[in-house]
Amino acid sequence: MKMTFRWYGESDSIPLEYIKQIPGMSGVVTAVYDVPVGEVWPEDRIARLYELCHAKGLEMEVIESVPVHEDIKLGRPSRDRLIANYATTIRNLGKYGVKCICYNFMPVFDWLRTNLKTVAEDGSNSLSYNHDELMKLDPRNLHLPGWDESYTTDQLNSLLDAYKDITHDKLFENLVYFLEGIMPACEETGINMAIHPDDPPWDMFGLPRIITSAESYDKLFAAVPSIHNGVTFCTGSLGAGRFNDLPYMAKKYTERIHFAHIRQLCLRGELDFTEKGHLTDMGSLDIYAIVKGLVEGGFCGYVRPDHGRNIWGEDGKPGYGLYDRALGATYLYGLFEAIEKGGK
Ligand code: DNO
């Protein structure tokens, strides 16, 4: 296991020195953020990130994310050019020691929450999701907290129209087409692809979501058997689906889990949740059992503490402040050490 920490590049308010000071930290998970989706990441931009990280004694072996262009998800004719660009980006990343790329295949929207600062009794705050509140919103005129409003209203509407004909099966076919197109680059460079689950793991605003459960994993691995076709096992995303048995999945799919995002949720009702500190005692997910599942499966991928709360007066990027994620990292590190040594 290698413990890592997400770093949003040079505009991140958290300096690399601080990340290096967190016990057990091997490297950062980062990305080139200002190349338009679909274009090739130039080598000099990757080199710059690599040098910054290595100058502070941190590795840069995981990229989150290389985003997938909507035309690929929609299966539009331009996809072949875009997939070739993606493969070139993989090859460029391979030259700088990258081993794992996290991406997602969610149509239009990435993660969705209704409140980014839900205040807890102890004064900390965190992200939360209320399904009824979300359903009252109009996706065609959406102003959601934290959602990257990178589309104009017109662009958003034409994109939503384009998805009208995209069923779950069609979206899955387009995912397989994409993976088959990039697998040669992965085999050449040794890079593992790690698809992030849909967050939360159910359809949103009539848009299909296909990476939600153990069944999705079975289907995905059967369609593209290469070991380079793997997953980001995100406990918070999968865990919102009450149907997912996370310790079981952690152990069953370890070989394909190239990257683990570990975080805690407090589940309410059938669909709602609030994000919590990482400890098992703080929420609904058995973090100990999940880590145990990974260790028993022989996990040797990357881990990062996922979303933390804002604590100690910090007003960090939602989910990505320093303090609570650092606490999460040391807690997770300790769990891994105890379980790994306990088993011997
Ligand atoms: C949210 C993140 C996601 C993730 C992407 C991966 O905090 O976990 O935005 O980076 O879905 O492509």
Side-chain angles (χ1 to χ4, degrees):
M1 178 277 286
K2 273 191 176 180
M3 186 60 69
T4 58
F5 204 78
R6 191 169 196 184
W7 180 63
Y8 280 93
E10 287 174 86
S11 65
D12 197 319
S13 61
I14 302 170
L16 287 168
E17 282 97 332
Y18 288 13
I19 298 176
K20 179 66 185 170
Q21 288 164 5
I22 302 168
M25 212 37 81
S26 74
V28 295
V29 171
T30 190
V32 170
Y33 286 99
D34 50 6
V35 171
V37 178
E39 298 309 316
V40 174
W41 287 10
E43 268 190 58
D44 60 334
R45 308 298 307 285
I46 301 169
R48 163 99 186 137
L49 279 178
Y50 176 92
E51 279 149 22
L52 288 170
C53 297
H54 280 256
K56 300 294 174 197
L58 290 162
E59 293 173 343
M60 188 193 77
E61 296 187 342
V62 186
I63 296 296
E64 177 175 350
S65 308
V66 181
V68 178
H69 196 281
E70 295 297 325
D71 286 4
I72 297 179
K73 301 179 203 165
L74 285 161
R76 284 174 164 162
S78 53
R79 70 175 159 175
D80 290 325
R81 181 185 65 84
L82 294 162
I83 292 172
N85 283 352
Y86 203 104
T88 306
T89 296
I90 293 175
R91 292 190 175 95
N92 287 350
L93 289 168
K95 292 179 196 159
Y96 291 88
V98 169
K99 306 271 190 295
C100 177
I101 296 174
C102 172
Y103 71 105
N104 74 73
F105 218 73
M106 290 177 251
V108 191
F109 309 104
D110 190 333
W111 58 275
L112 289 168
R113 299 288 183 276
T114 43
N115 191 332
L116 300 184
K117 285 194 176 171
T118 305
V119 181
E121 268 180 16
D122 63 6
S124 63
N125 66 66
S126 64
L127 295 85
S128 68
Y129 176 86
N130 179 305
H131 191 69
D132 291 341
E133 247 175 62
L134 191 74
M135 288 306 107
K136 280 187 213 139
L137 301 175
D138 174 7
R140 289 179 179 270
N141 191 10
L142 201 60
H143 298 286
L144 260 185
W147 185 63
D148 174 16
E149 298 184 37
S150 41
Y151 302 112
T152 61
T153 308
D154 282 353
Q155 281 169 336
L156 183 60
N157 281 319
S158 65
L159 204 49
L160 289 169
D161 286 337
Y163 272 102
K164 277 190 181 145
D165 301 326
I166 305 292
T167 58
H168 292 84
D169 285 349
K170 189 74 205 150
L171 185 64
F172 183 76
E173 258 174 49
N174 294 342
L175 169 60
V176 172
Y177 187 93
F178 163 68
L179 284 169
E180 283 170 347
I182 60 168
M183 278 300 120
C186 293
E187 261 134 42
E188 235 175 88
T189 54
I191 288 183
N192 290 322
M193 295 302 295
I195 194 166
H196 190 283
D198 305 335
D199 182 7
W202 46 79
D203 291 359
M204 273 302 162
F205 302 124
L207 294 163
R209 290 188 152 197
I210 53 173
I211 303 295
T212 57
S213 62
E215 291 70 36
S216 328
Y217 282 176
D218 290 337
K219 203 171 157 191
L220 176 70
F221 307 144
V224 182
S226 166
I227 198 67
H228 297 294
N229 169 32
V231 301
T232 297
F233 190 72
C234 176
T235 62
S237 308
L238 292 166
R242 279 58 168 176
F243 41 85
N244 283 322
D245 178 344
L246 299 183
Y248 166 81
M249 289 170 77
K251 187 168 176 180
K252 177 167 182 200
Y253 299 108
T254 316
E255 208 193 5
R256 298 277 182 161
I257 300 177
H258 301 313
F259 187 23
H261 284 179
I262 307 188
R263 66 179 156 91
Q264 181 61 286
L265 299 175
C266 176
L267 302 172
R268 280 174 287 102
E270 281 176 28
L271 298 168
D272 298 348
F273 57 86
T274 303
E275 299 185 0
K276 293 288 171 189
H278 293 76
L279 279 59
T280 295
D281 274 356
M282 297 181 83
S284 310
L285 307 180
D286 189 339
I287 302 295
Y288 165 78
I290 292 168
V291 173
K292 190 158 178 277
L294 288 172
V295 172
E296 286 175 358
F299 180 71
C300 55
Y302 300 88
V303 175
R304 71 166 176 81
D306 203 7
H307 301 181
R309 305 159 299 154
N310 270 310
I311 60 170
W312 302 340
E314 190 178 19
D315 187 17
K317 188 177 172 63
Y320 290 98
L322 171 65
Y323 304 139
D324 203 36
R325 282 190 301 148
L327 292 176
T330 46
Y331 167 68
L332 294 172
Y333 197 95
L335 278 183
F336 271 95
E337 182 178 0
I339 298 167
E340 279 168 3
K341 289 187 175 164
K344 293 205 177 108

